[in-house]
Amino acid sequence: MEALFGSYGVEWLNLLVRWLHLITGIAWIGASFYFVWLDNSIRPPKAGSPLAKQGVSGELWAVHGGGFYNPQKYLVAPAELPADLHWFKWEAYATWLSGFAMLFIVYYFNASAMMIDKNVADLSSLQAVAVGLGTLAGGWIVYDLLCKSPLGEKPAVLGSVLFVLIVAAAYVLTHTLSGRAAYIHVGAMIGTMMVGNVLFVIIPGQRKLVEAMEKGQAPDPIYGKRAKVRSVHNNYFTLPVLLIMISNHYAMTYSHSFSWLILGAIMAAGVLIRHFFNLRHAGKVSIGFPIAGVALLVAVAVAIAPAPRKALAAQPAAAHADGHADAAAAPSAADVARSGHDISAVQQVVTARCVSCHSAQPTQAGFASPPGGVMLDTPELTRQHAAKIYQRAVQNKDMPLANMTQMTDTERQLIGTWFESGAN
């Protein structure tokens, strides 16, 4: 029972809530993709046909799962309110709630490790959490005000302004929080905009339509138009949010000194590719959009490719608060020189800097098992994971996490020399 209420229990909670988030996200995104595709694919009925007389603005015939489907869309509303009407809302609400729970489980309950990088900003845990929560609330307020402003009548201009503001938020967050936390909060901010659209615009608008029909009144088409606009926004937000959901696995992006610009470029590529498919569903093939998106991704990949390492001068030993130096923090020039032939100096660094997390029984608070299943307790295990250590500690320099254990540049040089010499 003690384990269930400690780090081990939190890890199980992490697993289950993440699983729920993935399931509900698939349901929400699937519905969003389907209805945008449907809106772009339906064709108006023939003038004077029974469907046209009933107020049907478009229909589509499709085959799936061994059956034929004939969805129809009414421009405003049918003449009579159907007895059984399905509302698409719980997918969105459950996705946001489970994602918000993930923020607490992974980031807010362990803010010192997951949100704070002292090399970026010296924040307290409460300050870091406040920045995160403020980003979600502030993002929705600014977005909603812009949509209700005169810019809302100019989709292209509004889209450009929103993109600039999201990239600006990424810049601020990457200069305030750790790289991983900054990225995930940009995604959470966009996700909050999306669920806000459902909660405050789309569903209330649909309720207005239904209430008017229940009273025998003609529904005001403005509510449907506003809901459609926000639904389209959500469709374009989707690929950037999905990118950010998986971004924590790719330190080459969030650990870069221009991580905010990298995120902006990759998000732009996603929007371009999404736009191609939206146009294609409407019968317009504009191959320039996916070409531009792929070109942008290639340009980012080339721009952030790891540069050759430069030799570093040996650094003095790091002093602790009690005035004693940490011998493991200061490999000598001789250690660096012989690291290509002897793992002992490398293992000394790994033990001092990495094993608190990457061990069969981690001692770092918040970890019940080694991240990614990577254990580095012995020289044999260190050799086994040599490529990962080199990539994360030497090339990306995003490990140790937020450099909590204060790995020095000289230590990274030692590991790099060892790996490049064969990791013997």
Side-chain angles (χ1 to χ4, degrees):
M1 290 302 295
E2 182 179 349
L4 288 175
F5 289 98
S7 297
Y8 176 73
V10 171
E11 196 151 325
W12 264 102
L13 187 62
N14 187 334
L15 167 63
L16 296 176
V17 175
R18 191 181 297 268
W19 192 13
L20 173 64
H21 187 52
L22 181 62
I23 293 168
T24 55
I26 289 172
W28 185 15
I29 292 167
S32 171
F33 277 15
Y34 173 73
F35 279 104
V36 169
W37 170 83
L38 185 61
D39 275 342
N40 289 329
S41 300
I42 57 176
R43 298 295 179 262
K46 293 181 180 179
S49 67
L51 288 179
K53 292 178 180 178
Q54 294 171 17
V56 173
S57 63
E59 67 166 340
L60 172 78
W61 280 95
V63 61
H64 179 75
F68 290 89
Y69 296 81
N70 181 212
Q72 300 170 353
K73 180 178 180 178
Y74 290 79
L75 187 58
V76 179
E80 184 177 333
L81 186 67
D84 194 7
L85 186 63
H86 182 79
W87 296 70
F88 286 87
K89 56 182 179 179
W90 293 111
E91 302 91 340
Y93 300 159
T95 300
W96 189 86
L97 289 171
S98 57
F100 192 62
M102 285 295 301
L103 280 179
F104 272 88
I105 295 167
V106 178
Y107 289 91
Y108 297 166
F109 287 161
N110 195 17
S112 60
M114 300 300 295
M115 296 187 70
I116 299 170
D117 185 342
K118 298 293 186 182
N119 296 316
V120 175
D122 190 4
L123 303 177
S124 68
S125 294
L126 285 177
Q127 287 173 328
V129 172
V131 168
L133 293 174
T135 298
L136 306 192
W140 161 252
I141 292 171
V142 172
Y143 164 72
D144 188 51
L145 290 175
L146 285 172
C147 289
K148 293 175 179 177
S149 75
L151 286 179
E153 303 299 323
K154 303 174 181 178
V157 177
L158 176 61
S160 299
V161 171
L162 287 174
F163 178 75
V164 170
L165 289 177
I166 290 171
V167 174
Y171 176 85
V172 172
L173 287 170
T174 55
H175 288 76
T176 308
L177 305 176
S178 69
R180 292 178 63 173
Y183 267 38
I184 211 69
H185 278 85
V186 173
M189 179 185 70
I190 299 174
T192 300
M193 295 174 184
M194 294 172 69
V195 80
N197 283 337
V198 176
L199 180 62
F200 298 117
V201 180
I202 297 173
I203 295 300
Q206 291 173 351
R207 287 202 181 101
K208 292 287 187 182
L209 297 177
V210 171
E211 288 170 3
M213 293 188 67
E214 289 175 338
K215 295 176 181 178
Q217 301 171 351
D220 188 341
I222 188 62
Y223 297 112
K225 291 178 180 178
R226 289 173 181 168
K228 176 65 185 300
V229 168
R230 298 297 183 103
S231 181
V232 171
H233 287 184
N234 282 1
N235 182 261
Y236 282 100
F237 283 148
T238 300
L239 293 189
V241 169
L242 288 175
L243 161 74
I244 293 169
M245 285 176 65
I246 63 172
S247 66
N248 280 187
H249 297 285
Y250 304 99
M252 60 191 177
T253 58
Y254 65 76
S255 65
H256 197 276
S257 56
F258 287 97
S259 57
W260 59 276
L261 190 57
I262 293 166
L263 180 59
I266 300 177
M267 287 194 299
V271 170
L272 290 170
I273 293 169
R274 183 68 239 163
H275 189 56
F276 164 77
F277 282 103
N278 287 343
L279 291 177
R280 183 174 176 274
H281 298 328
K284 303 174 185 177
V285 178
S286 299
I287 196 67
F289 288 106
I291 290 175
V294 172
L296 193 53
L297 293 173
V298 171
V300 170
V302 172
I304 68 173
R309 285 193 312 113
K310 297 179 180 179
L312 298 173
Q315 297 179 347
H320 291 295
D322 60 5
H324 296 291
D326 185 350
S332 65
D335 286 333
V336 174
R338 68 185 174 84
S339 62
H341 309 285
D342 186 355
I343 195 177
S344 60
V346 173
Q347 188 61 38
Q348 183 181 9
V349 171
V350 168
T351 299
R353 308 303 186 199
C354 311
V355 169
S356 58
C357 293
H358 291 283
S359 171
Q361 295 181 324
T363 57
Q364 174 62 43
F367 293 90
S369 60
V374 176
M375 293 183 288
L376 305 173
D377 307 85
T378 66
E380 291 72 25
L381 289 170
T382 298
R383 288 192 185 96
Q384 178 183 334
H385 297 291
K388 290 181 180 178
I389 297 171
Y390 179 75
Q391 181 188 23
R392 303 300 295 274
V394 180
Q395 290 185 317
N396 294 334
K397 296 185 179 180
D398 69 301
M399 286 291 166
L401 189 63
N403 206 19
M404 290 186 296
T405 55
Q406 299 299 304
M407 180 179 284
T408 66
D409 287 339
T410 306
E411 290 170 336
R412 298 181 195 278
Q413 171 78 353
L414 185 149
I415 294 171
T417 302
W418 168 72
F419 179 81
E420 291 165 3
S421 299
N424 297 315

